[in-house]
Amino acid sequence: MEITEYIIKKINDPTGIIAGERYEYRLYINLDEEDELYSEGGTGLRVIFAIDEDEGRIASYHFFERSSEKVLDFELEDDEKETVLAYCRAHRE
């Protein structure tokens, strides 16, 4: 899994209920054609990244088809989670 581009957007909480900051990442990934997540239109990963007391964590995520926004029912493997977490930490606003 190679992250080729990303979009980041800060999520505002007008109610003040959520502690810390939240960011939505849309990571676009390059996969081998043999990978079960491969899609001709491209594959993406939507990540909600939470920062509480300067510690970042993945609050939620899901894969999607880039061309249709259809959600794909797959989970990240542990090493992929670490890669995504490090990427989000390195690419904060």
Side-chain angles (χ1 to χ4, degrees), residues 27-62:
L27 306 176
Y28 300 107
I29 55 180
N30 190 18
L31 300 167
D32 292 330
E33 287 186 31
E34 293 82 32
D35 194 304
E36 60 189 339
L37 277 170
Y38 177 81
S39 169
E40 282 188 32
T43 304
L45 179 64
R46 179 179 180 257
V47 178
I48 303 298
F49 184 69
I51 302 171
D52 299 316
E53 298 180 19
D54 217 29
E55 280 294 313
R57 64 181 173 82
I58 296 172
S60 68
Y61 69 88
H62 67 263

Side-chain angles (χ1 to χ4, degrees), residues 7 17 19 24 33 40 55 67-68 72 77 87 90:
I7 298 171
I17 295 172
E24 176 186 357
E33 287 186 31
E40 282 188 32
E55 280 294 313
S67 59
S68 67
L72 304 172
E77 295 179 8
Y87 192 91

Side-chain angles (χ1 to χ4, degrees), residues 58-89:
I58 296 172
S60 68
Y61 69 88
H62 67 263
F63 286 98
F64 63 93
E65 286 183 1
R66 188 171 182 173
S67 59
S68 67
E69 296 285 319
K70 177 184 172 193
V71 174
L72 304 172
D73 189 25
F74 290 94
E75 291 190 23
L76 288 167
E77 295 179 8
D78 289 339
D79 61 329
E80 293 171 331
K81 261 189 191 172
E82 289 302 317
T83 300
V84 169
L85 184 59
Y87 192 91
C88 290
R89 284 178 175 156

